[in-house]
Amino acid sequence: MSSISQALAATTSADHLVISDDPLHPANLIPELCRGFYHLGWVTGTGGGISIRVADKVYIAPSGVQKERILPSHIFVLPFPSPPDGDRVFLRRPPLDLKESACTPLFWNAFDLRGAGSCVHTHSQNAVMATLLTPGNTFRISHQMIKGVRVGGMKAALSYLDTLEVPIIENTPNEEDLKDSMADAMQRYPDAPAVLVRRHGIYVWGSDWEKAKTQTECLDYLFEIAIKMTAHGLLLVQK
Amino acid sequence: MSSISQALAATTSADHLVISDDPLHPANLIPELCRGFYHLGWVTGTGGGISIRVADKVYIAPSGVQKERILPSHIFVLPFPSPPDGDRVFLRRPPLDLKESACTPLFWNAFDLRGAGSCVHTHSQNAVMATLLTPGNTFRISHQMIKGVRVGGMKAALSYLDTLEVPIIENTPNEEDLKDSMADAMQRYPDAPAVLVRRHGIYVWGSDWEKAKTQTECLDYLFEIAIKMTAHGLLLVQK
Amino acid sequence: MSSISQALAATTSADHLVISDDPLHPANLIPELCRGFYHLGWVTGTGGGISIRVADKVYIAPSGVQKERILPSHIFVLPFPSPPDGDRVFLRRPPLDLKESACTPLFWNAFDLRGAGSCVHTHSQNAVMATLLTPGNTFRISHQMIKGVRVGGMKAALSYLDTLEVPIIENTPNEEDLKDSMADAMQRYPDAPAVLVRRHGIYVWGSDWEKAKTQTECLDYLFEIAIKMTAHGLLLVQK
Amino acid sequence: MSSISQALAATTSADHLVISDDPLHPANLIPELCRGFYHLGWVTGTGGGISIRVADKVYIAPSGVQKERILPSHIFVLPFPSPPDGDRVFLRRPPLDLKESACTPLFWNAFDLRGAGSCVHTHSQNAVMATLLTPGNTFRISHQMIKGVRVGGMKAALSYLDTLEVPIIENTPNEEDLKDSMADAMQRYPDAPAVLVRRHGIYVWGSDWEKAKTQTECLDYLFEIAIKMTAHGLLLVQK
């Protein structure tokens, strides 16, 4: 048996990493949360998803599958941090013809640059319309219920009087190619809790899955009301 | 054992106050109703909720948690009326690191000033857009299906020919700081069944949870149709 | 025991009329359908509902209750046709402080004037907005998927090339007072499958509950697309 | 027993073709998927549905029934390819007064002309509005998340930089009469993954039910955002 086939055998049999009776185990949570995201219109047509990191393990859904039909057995487990040589390594991969989410390098930005415990990616039309209606490369809003959003996604909650800023990067044909421009935006906007991708969607992170999810909800709510306000000629930022 | 730790031990062991087989027990109803509110978009991202008062006990959800995932064991129970010294007292609090809803003083306005048995708070975008599109500080509509709304939230049902009035107060960074301006609006508008908070949401009350909930639905319906009518240039109040 | 209390005792004990293992029994269908209507936004805040007639019995939901929480035991059963003296008679009424739907006389219009087997009433915002955006007293649309709608609600299906006409009557403070104007509209528009009530909603009927429900869906779909077309300046009727 | 009644007896007793414990059996999938489509607003009022072909068998739902209430026992099974004489033959038909979907000849276009394994038909308002807002007979969009759509519905995924083209054909009173114009559009637009029908809806196909469904979701998403962009005066195609 070659070392490669040994490694494959090992990872496909590491099912104990994704089998748990605990509904809050990441391999159970990811399918449940993705079903919820599907019904919110965030992951229509296989796009989008959520990754959860617990200590030195990262749980990731497959690419190109119906996000409302994921099973725990479909989940990939990767080590964190990545090995220094840069090759992608798996602690567990599904015994099917599945590939890990194309968002994996983008999720890693959130883990590496912010120490996040979870990262959500949606194709929400509210996020996309916000990128189309925002002049320039920064979405801004103030004097809304932005208290559910945290500085940099990880620190203190914003206040009603603060102005939320979310950078917008340009889309690329391949999701992986967004890695550098997303990282660059995260460094230029250290207080931003998310990065919008023009004509594509958004990446949002938090210290754990609950905070990543609730911040995604808050941001989506803000984009939605911003679109409505724009349609009525109302300004998004008050002095 | 100090008196404080004795009191804490007592309240965290008062689980019988929130454990019941009756689906209509407040500790069961609050989680169920909050799940429904989540799917209506009223409590996105941990905001909003419902409080129920039955005789001398008030049941309240925790602050800053996912409202579609509350469990009966998360519910706080407070005495009503409050003790005269003004300190907040609990008959039961969850054995977790949870804080009672920041809306607690606002819910109390409804109990104290109107004798309400329940109070709902939403961040509904229909309520928020109504506050943004209303010139001045009073939302008004007539000749709609407003029969589900009661005078002052507690008395006779409104008629199709009546004009519904809901006062709008200005938002503050801290939810608790709305207490006085909400109380003031309730006194100036004795017939209003609710108070809108600009760029934030709404507080609605009723004699029991059913009437608070159905009045919240009716008001949300009216705000939604008012927004559509405004977009089409139609007047909200007929002579 | 007086004859009135005897009659009451008889009707409250007639529970066999609403207890059935058959999910298609009207007393089981009405709660299920009303839950579906609630999630469509048709019966928000206790308004609206459905009545089903099977041979000489009419099944009706209570008035002023949460339509997503009706139980079979809440259902009223009335004889059809009504006794000649005009008093309302019950074969079965719930042993609770409930009143039959205020729409009862309106449902009767559909049974008496069209021989319908079911009648649906909604407060759908699509129906209400259609009454607000229609100049005059007749909603008209053509060249849409109107094949699910039947001539007079009971006969042959409409064709893509037909023009659907639905009369609009003016609302009144009391639902019962719509009876005569609804009947009048039904006689003036013998081919109409429904009657719209300005600023209020719609009554739709069919030969059975399935046809009443699917026609309500088709009409609501047509009102919704008519509103969108109007917003884009498109005409609803093609020559 | 005549040969016709013998044939009928045979097909109505071929229940083994639609009875299976496997949730992914077409006779179980079609009811489940149609329920999902109902809640997306795609098959309101009995319109629309999905057909699945597995090797030499085609599974089809009945015509004119509530699509959220289909049972496996309602499913028709037809042979593929059709017998050369052109008569419609059934391997199994329901023992009820049901007729196969009027879309059957249209589904067959996808099987015959593209080798599809599944075809979806919706009356989605997004599709209908796209046909009403598109000048000319081709819907076009670029620089959106069109990666979930495949060239011709069956080949390589589109890229962010590609322009998606979907032909629009004119509606006819009878669904069957669309067969030739749909086939003609499929031949003129060999790369199109779908055919829009003006004022009616859309037909989308894929190599299997998952790809047909996810492509339908992607296309519906694109029509929805195209309508929003049009309302804000934004162009759908970038150079």
Side-chain angles (χ1 to χ4, degrees):
Chain A
M1 207 185 230
S2 75
S3 64
I4 287 178
S5 53
Q6 274 179 325
L8 274 177
T11 57
T12 55
S13 67
D15 288 351
H16 65 280
L17 293 177
V18 296
I19 294 175
S20 168
D21 288 338
D22 180 1
L24 297 182
H25 186 284
N28 293 329
L29 270 174
I30 290 175
E32 182 197 344
L33 293 168
C34 283
R35 272 197 298 280
F37 295 172
Y38 177 79
H39 292 292
L40 291 169
W42 289 358
V43 297
T44 304
T46 83
I50 182 169
S51 172
I52 299 177
R53 178 175 73 81
V54 178
D56 61 355
K57 291 187 185 66
V58 174
Y59 301 81
I60 284 182
S63 168
V65 301
Q66 299 178 81
K67 289 298 189 293
E68 78 279 22
R69 290 173 178 265
I70 299 175
L71 298 177
S73 59
H74 298 163
I75 301 295
F76 292 78
V77 187
L78 287 75
F80 185 86
S82 298
D85 59 9
D87 278 358
R88 197 169 291 170
V89 177
F90 298 92
L91 301 176
R92 193 265 172 184
R93 53 195 318 169
L96 301 165
D97 184 21
L98 293 175
K99 211 175 151 335
E100 73 278 12
S101 167
C103 307
T104 303
L106 296 314
F107 293 149
W108 234 261
N109 274 342
F111 304 145
D112 276 340
L113 302 180
R114 296 283 163 94
S118 181
C119 186
V120 174
H121 173 47
T122 86
H123 291 191
S124 164
Q125 298 215 349
N126 294 323
V128 174
M129 285 305 295
T131 71
L132 288 167
L133 295 174
T134 300
N137 297 318
T138 312
F139 172 86
R140 287 189 183 85
I141 198 165
S142 77
H143 294 81
Q144 289 289 343
M145 289 313 288
I146 60 179
K147 298 192 301 185
V149 181
R150 289 171 181 276
V151 175
M154 303 288 289
K155 302 182 201 162
L158 290 180
S159 156
Y160 176 67
L161 303 177
D162 289 330
T163 298
L164 168 72
E165 292 195 337
V166 183
I168 306 172
I169 62 175
E170 300 305 315
N171 195 30
T172 56
N174 294 310
E175 201 119 4
E176 307 85 87
D177 297 339
L178 293 169
K179 183 176 171 71
D180 289 349
S181 61
M182 177 180 165
D184 178 58
M186 291 174 76
Q187 277 148 352
R188 285 185 294 112
Y189 292 76
D191 291 347
V195 174
L196 283 160
V197 185
R198 185 109 53 201
R199 298 170 169 275
H200 175 162
I202 192 166
Y203 286 88
V204 188
W205 54 84
S207 55
D208 56 27
W209 69 270
E210 290 178 271
K211 292 207 178 61
K213 167 183 169 285
T214 55
Q215 288 192 90
T216 308
E217 289 178 354
C218 289
L219 289 166
D220 205 72
Y221 174 99
L222 293 167
F223 299 139
E224 184 179 353
I225 210 150
I227 296 163
K228 294 177 184 173
M229 291 173 73
T230 301
H232 284 278
L234 301 167
L235 294 177
L236 303 189
V237 178
Q238 288 202 315
K239 302 296 169 192
Chain B
M1 209 187 228
S2 75
S3 65
I4 287 178
S5 52
Q6 276 180 324
L8 274 177
T11 57
T12 56
S13 67
D15 289 350
H16 65 280
L17 293 177
V18 296
I19 294 175
S20 167
D21 289 337
D22 180 2
L24 297 182
H25 186 284
N28 293 329
L29 271 174
I30 290 174
E32 181 198 344
L33 292 168
C34 282
R35 271 197 299 279
F37 295 171
Y38 177 79
H39 293 291
L40 291 169
W42 289 358
V43 297
T44 303
T46 83
I50 182 169
S51 172
I52 299 176
R53 179 175 73 81
V54 178
D56 61 354
K57 290 189 185 64
V58 175
Y59 299 81
I60 285 183
S63 169
V65 301
Q66 300 178 82
K67 290 299 190 292
E68 78 279 22
R69 291 173 177 266
I70 299 174
L71 298 177
S73 58
H74 298 163
I75 301 295
F76 292 79
V77 187
L78 286 76
F80 184 87
S82 298
D85 59 10
D87 278 356
R88 197 169 294 168
V89 177
F90 297 92
L91 301 176
R92 193 265 172 183
R93 52 194 317 168
L96 300 165
D97 184 21
L98 293 174
K99 211 176 151 336
E100 73 278 11
S101 167
C103 306
T104 303
L106 296 314
F107 293 148
W108 234 260
N109 274 342
F111 305 144
D112 276 340
L113 303 179
R114 296 283 163 95
S118 181
C119 187
V120 174
H121 174 45
T122 86
H123 290 191
S124 164
Q125 298 214 349
N126 294 323
V128 173
M129 285 304 296
T131 70
L132 288 168
L133 295 174
T134 300
N137 297 319
T138 312
F139 172 87
R140 287 189 184 87
I141 198 165
S142 77
H143 293 80
Q144 289 289 345
M145 289 312 288
I146 60 179
K147 298 192 302 183
V149 182
R150 290 171 180 275
V151 175
M154 303 289 288
K155 303 183 202 162
L158 291 180
S159 155
Y160 176 67
L161 303 177
D162 289 329
T163 297
L164 168 72
E165 293 197 336
V166 183
I168 305 173
I169 62 175
E170 300 305 315
N171 196 30
T172 57
N174 294 309
E175 202 118 4
E176 307 86 88
D177 296 339
L178 293 169
K179 183 175 172 70
D180 289 350
S181 60
M182 177 181 166
D184 178 59
M186 291 174 76
Q187 278 148 351
R188 284 185 294 112
Y189 292 76
D191 290 347
V195 173
L196 283 160
V197 185
R198 185 107 55 199
R199 297 169 169 276
H200 176 161
I202 192 166
Y203 287 87
V204 187
W205 54 84
S207 55
D208 56 28
W209 69 269
E210 290 176 271
K211 291 206 179 62
K213 167 183 169 286
T214 55
Q215 289 191 91
T216 307
E217 289 179 353
C218 289
L219 289 166
D220 205 70
Y221 174 98
L222 293 168
F223 299 140
E224 184 179 353
I225 210 150
I227 296 163
K228 294 176 185 173
M229 291 174 73
T230 301
H232 284 277
L234 301 167
L235 295 177
L236 303 189
V237 178
Q238 288 202 315
K239 302 295 170 193
Chain C
M1 208 187 228
S2 76
S3 65
I4 288 177
S5 52
Q6 275 180 324
L8 273 177
T11 57
T12 55
S13 67
D15 288 351
H16 65 280
L17 294 177
V18 296
I19 293 176
S20 167
D21 289 337
D22 180 1
L24 297 182
H25 186 284
N28 293 329
L29 271 174
I30 290 174
E32 182 198 344
L33 292 168
C34 283
R35 272 197 299 279
F37 295 172
Y38 177 78
H39 292 292
L40 291 169
W42 289 359
V43 296
T44 303
T46 82
I50 182 170
S51 173
I52 298 176
R53 177 175 74 82
V54 178
D56 61 355
K57 290 187 185 66
V58 174
Y59 300 80
I60 285 182
S63 169
V65 300
Q66 299 178 83
K67 290 299 190 292
E68 77 279 22
R69 291 174 176 264
I70 299 174
L71 298 177
S73 59
H74 298 162
I75 301 296
F76 292 79
V77 187
L78 287 75
F80 184 86
S82 298
D85 59 10
D87 277 357
R88 196 169 293 170
V89 176
F90 298 92
L91 300 177
R92 193 265 173 184
R93 52 195 318 170
L96 300 165
D97 184 21
L98 293 174
K99 210 175 153 335
E100 74 278 12
S101 167
C103 307
T104 303
L106 296 314
F107 293 148
W108 234 261
N109 275 341
F111 305 144
D112 277 339
L113 302 179
R114 296 283 163 96
S118 180
C119 187
V120 174
H121 173 47
T122 86
H123 291 190
S124 165
Q125 298 214 350
N126 294 323
V128 173
M129 285 305 296
T131 70
L132 289 167
L133 295 175
T134 299
N137 296 320
T138 313
F139 173 86
R140 286 189 184 85
I141 198 165
S142 77
H143 294 80
Q144 289 289 344
M145 289 312 288
I146 59 179
K147 298 191 302 185
V149 181
R150 289 171 181 276
V151 175
M154 302 289 288
K155 302 182 201 161
L158 290 180
S159 155
Y160 176 67
L161 302 177
D162 290 330
T163 297
L164 168 72
E165 292 195 337
V166 183
I168 305 172
I169 62 175
E170 301 304 315
N171 195 30
T172 56
N174 294 311
E175 202 118 4
E176 307 85 88
D177 297 339
L178 293 170
K179 184 176 172 69
D180 289 349
S181 60
M182 178 181 165
D184 178 57
M186 291 174 75
Q187 277 148 349
R188 283 185 295 111
Y189 291 76
D191 290 347
V195 173
L196 283 160
V197 185
R198 185 109 55 201
R199 299 170 168 275
H200 175 162
I202 192 167
Y203 286 87
V204 188
W205 53 84
S207 55
D208 56 29
W209 69 269
E210 289 177 271
K211 292 207 178 61
K213 167 183 169 286
T214 55
Q215 288 191 91
T216 308
E217 289 178 354
C218 289
L219 289 166
D220 205 70
Y221 174 99
L222 293 167
F223 299 140
E224 184 179 354
I225 210 149
I227 296 163
K228 294 176 185 172
M229 291 175 72
T230 301
H232 284 277
L234 300 167
L235 294 177
L236 302 189
V237 178
Q238 288 203 316
K239 301 296 168 193
Chain D
M1 208 185 230
S2 75
S3 65
I4 288 178
S5 52
Q6 274 178 324
L8 273 177
T11 57
T12 56
S13 67
D15 288 350
H16 65 281
L17 293 176
V18 296
I19 295 175
S20 167
D21 288 338
D22 180 2
L24 297 183
H25 186 284
N28 293 329
L29 271 174
I30 290 175
E32 182 197 345
L33 292 168
C34 283
R35 271 196 299 279
F37 296 172
Y38 177 79
H39 292 292
L40 290 170
W42 289 358
V43 296
T44 303
T46 83
I50 183 170
S51 172
I52 298 177
R53 177 174 74 80
V54 178
D56 62 354
K57 291 187 184 64
V58 174
Y59 301 80
I60 285 183
S63 169
V65 300
Q66 298 178 82
K67 290 298 190 293
E68 78 279 21
R69 290 174 177 264
I70 299 174
L71 298 177
S73 59
H74 298 163
I75 300 296
F76 292 78
V77 188
L78 287 75
F80 184 86
S82 298
D85 60 7
D87 277 358
R88 197 169 291 169
V89 177
F90 297 92
L91 301 176
R92 192 264 172 185
R93 53 196 318 170
L96 301 164
D97 184 20
L98 293 175
K99 211 176 151 332
E100 73 279 11
S101 167
C103 306
T104 302
L106 295 314
F107 293 148
W108 233 262
N109 274 342
F111 305 145
D112 276 340
L113 302 180
R114 295 285 163 95
S118 181
C119 188
V120 175
H121 173 47
T122 85
H123 290 191
S124 164
Q125 299 215 348
N126 294 323
V128 173
M129 285 306 295
T131 71
L132 288 168
L133 295 174
T134 300
N137 297 320
T138 312
F139 172 86
R140 285 189 185 86
I141 198 165
S142 77
H143 294 80
Q144 289 289 344
M145 289 312 286
I146 60 179
K147 299 192 301 185
V149 181
R150 289 171 182 276
V151 174
M154 303 289 289
K155 302 182 202 163
L158 290 180
S159 156
Y160 176 67
L161 303 176
D162 290 329
T163 297
L164 167 72
E165 292 195 337
V166 183
I168 305 173
I169 62 175
E170 301 305 315
N171 195 30
T172 55
N174 294 310
E175 202 117 3
E176 307 86 87
D177 297 339
L178 293 170
K179 184 175 171 68
D180 289 349
S181 61
M182 178 180 165
D184 178 59
M186 291 174 75
Q187 278 148 352
R188 284 185 294 113
Y189 291 77
D191 290 348
V195 173
L196 283 160
V197 185
R198 186 108 54 200
R199 298 172 169 275
H200 175 164
I202 192 167
Y203 287 87
V204 188
W205 53 84
S207 55
D208 56 27
W209 70 269
E210 289 177 272
K211 292 207 179 62
K213 166 183 169 286
T214 56
Q215 289 191 91
T216 308
E217 289 178 353
C218 288
L219 289 166
D220 205 71
Y221 174 99
L222 294 168
F223 299 139
E224 183 179 354
I225 210 150
I227 296 162
K228 293 176 184 172
M229 291 174 72
T230 301
H232 284 277
L234 300 167
L235 294 178
L236 303 189
V237 178
Q238 287 201 317
K239 301 295 169 194

